[in-house]
């Protein structure tokens, strides 16, 4: 398995002068996901929790909806310049009778760490249908609980503490209990790792849960949450207009700018308990 962080010498320039010192960077390496031996996608990710990432990716692309639909997941031989396996190629074998992904799922080239939709065969294929609609989820959320979530997410970001260069996604119960937190250079990868964890733990659909992301809420992240039946997605930054449109369409609560003691609720405000707020 590749390293999560890498050390690199840098020239540090400050008011008291300049000096060379080591710095810790978040690792970024390609992961090629194959299904039944056929290349499906290449994503730039931080090594670690690759099995969860692959499960989450296939779930949110509509290829599978249950962990039993995957037979095995194994690393292929992918030697680097030193001849050692890089563990950057993962082959997923589908269970008998499970249909392989169609051409609309296959990326034309690769998925960067900043964009998980780039390279889709057609824009229309992005708007996937979910087996786990969050529209009827009876979840209710207290604002006092929500404002505590970013701090709990940040407290679990161990690699961010040393690099300052990773996104995070966290899954929480309605009372604020942390279920799982994952970090990655790609925000979509962090979400796929969280949802892959949930699939492997038999937690999908994620009824009564909140998914929190450390950056903005994009269309793709709303789609991923909807595919796993997440009723509420919160972000410390802004959502996009298309993300808000999709959240409304899916009956999902979408919260942005969750910082300090305030937040903006863009859709699904009926799930937020506001009776005690002036």
């Amino acid at each position: 398995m590749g390293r999560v962080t890498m050390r690199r010498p840098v020239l540090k320039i400050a008011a008291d002068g300049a000096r060379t010192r080591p710095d810790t960077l978040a690792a970024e390496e390609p992961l090629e996901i194959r299904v039944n031996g056929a290349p499906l996608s290449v994503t730039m990710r931080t090594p670690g929790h690759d099995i969860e990432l692959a499960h989450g990716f296939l779930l949110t692309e509509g290829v599978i909806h249950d962990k039993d639909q995957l037979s095995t997941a194994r690393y292929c031989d992918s030697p680097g310049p030193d001849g050692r396996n890089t563990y950057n190629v993962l082959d997923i074998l589908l269970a008998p009778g499970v249909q392989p992904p169609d051409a609309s799922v296959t990326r034309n080239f690769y998925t960067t760490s900043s964009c998980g939709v780039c390279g889709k065969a057609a824009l229309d294929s992005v708007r996937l249908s979910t087996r786990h609609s969050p529209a009827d989820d009876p979840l209710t959320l207290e604002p006092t609980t929500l404002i505590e979530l970013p701090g709990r997410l940040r407290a679990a970001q161990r690699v961010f503490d040393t690099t300052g260069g990773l996104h995070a996604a966290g899954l929480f119960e309605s009372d604020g209990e942390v279920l799982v937190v994952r970090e990655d250079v790609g925000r979509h990868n962090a979400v796929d790792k969280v949802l892959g964890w949930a699939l492997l733990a038999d937690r999908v659909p994620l009824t009564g849960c909140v998914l929190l992301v450390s950056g903005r809420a994009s269309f793709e992240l709303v789609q991923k949450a909807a595919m796993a039946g997440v009723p509420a997605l919160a972000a410390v930054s802004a959502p996009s207009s298309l993300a808000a449109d999709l959240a409304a369409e899916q009956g999902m609560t979408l919260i942005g700018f969750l910082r300090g003691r305030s937040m903006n609720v863009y859709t699904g405000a009926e799930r937020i308990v506001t009776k005690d707020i002036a």
Side-chain angles (χ1 to χ4, degrees), residues 199-222:
L199 187 68
L200 288 165
D202 290 322
R203 296 293 300 252
V204 175
L206 284 163
T207 306
C209 292
V210 181
L211 177 64
L212 174 64
V213 295
S214 61
R216 62 186 177 86
S218 64
F219 170 90
E220 186 204 15
L221 298 191
V222 173

Side-chain angles (χ1 to χ4, degrees), residues 42-273:
V42 176
T43 185
M44 300 303 296
R45 98 303 189 192
T46 299
H49 304 289
D50 291 335
I51 304 297
E52 292 177 352
L53 192 162
H55 277 73
F57 174 77
L58 294 175
L59 168 69
T60 59
E61 292 291 346
V63 178
I64 62 171
H65 56 84
D66 186 278
K67 69 176 183 179
D68 292 334
Q69 293 182 295
L70 297 187
S71 177
T72 59
R74 64 179 182 86
Y75 288 101
C76 300
D77 187 33
S78 51
D82 59 0
R84 296 181 179 181
N85 196 343
T86 63
Y87 296 96
N88 286 342
V89 179
L90 187 66
D91 193 15
I92 304 295
L93 181 63
L94 298 176
V98 179
Q99 292 297 313
D102 60 37
S104 67
V105 176
T106 304
R107 266 60 173 162
N108 292 336
F109 182 44
Y110 73 99
T111 303
T112 72
S113 58
S114 61
C115 176
V117 175
C118 303
K120 278 284 194 178
L123 181 59
D124 287 346
S125 68
V126 175
R127 194 181 293 272
L128 302 176
S129 59
T130 177
R131 290 172 173 260
H132 310 298
S133 174
D136 297 325
D137 194 309
L139 171 72
T140 58
L141 293 166
E142 297 280 351
T144 52
T145 299
L146 287 167
I147 62 177
E148 295 177 354
L149 300 189
R152 295 181 181 181
L153 180 69
R154 178 67 184 83
Q157 289 183 255
R158 297 183 180 88
V159 182
F160 183 88
D161 287 338
T162 57
T163 66
L166 288 177
H167 293 284
L171 195 62
F172 298 83
E173 298 274 22
S174 60
D175 61 0
E177 180 184 351
V178 180
L179 292 174
V180 64
V181 171
R182 294 288 183 260
E183 297 177 277
D184 200 277
V185 288
R187 60 173 59 88
H188 61 285
N189 288 335
V191 169
D192 277 343
K193 289 177 179 181
V194 164
L195 300 183
W197 171 90
L199 187 68
L200 288 165
D202 290 322
R203 296 293 300 252
V204 175
L206 284 163
T207 306
C209 292
V210 181
L211 177 64
L212 174 64
V213 295
S214 61
R216 62 186 177 86
S218 64
F219 170 90
E220 186 204 15
L221 298 191
V222 173
Q223 173 195 287
K224 287 180 179 295
M227 293 297 285
V230 176
L233 172 65
V236 300
S237 191
S240 68
S241 62
L242 202 56
D245 289 345
L246 183 61
E249 176 185 302
Q250 294 293 328
M252 184 186 301
T253 298
L254 178 62
I255 299 164
F257 295 106
L258 180 56
R259 305 172 184 173
R261 302 190 64 80
S262 67
M263 69 196 77
N264 291 346
V265 182
Y266 292 87
T267 65
E270 66 276 3
R271 290 194 176 100
I272 309 300
V273 179

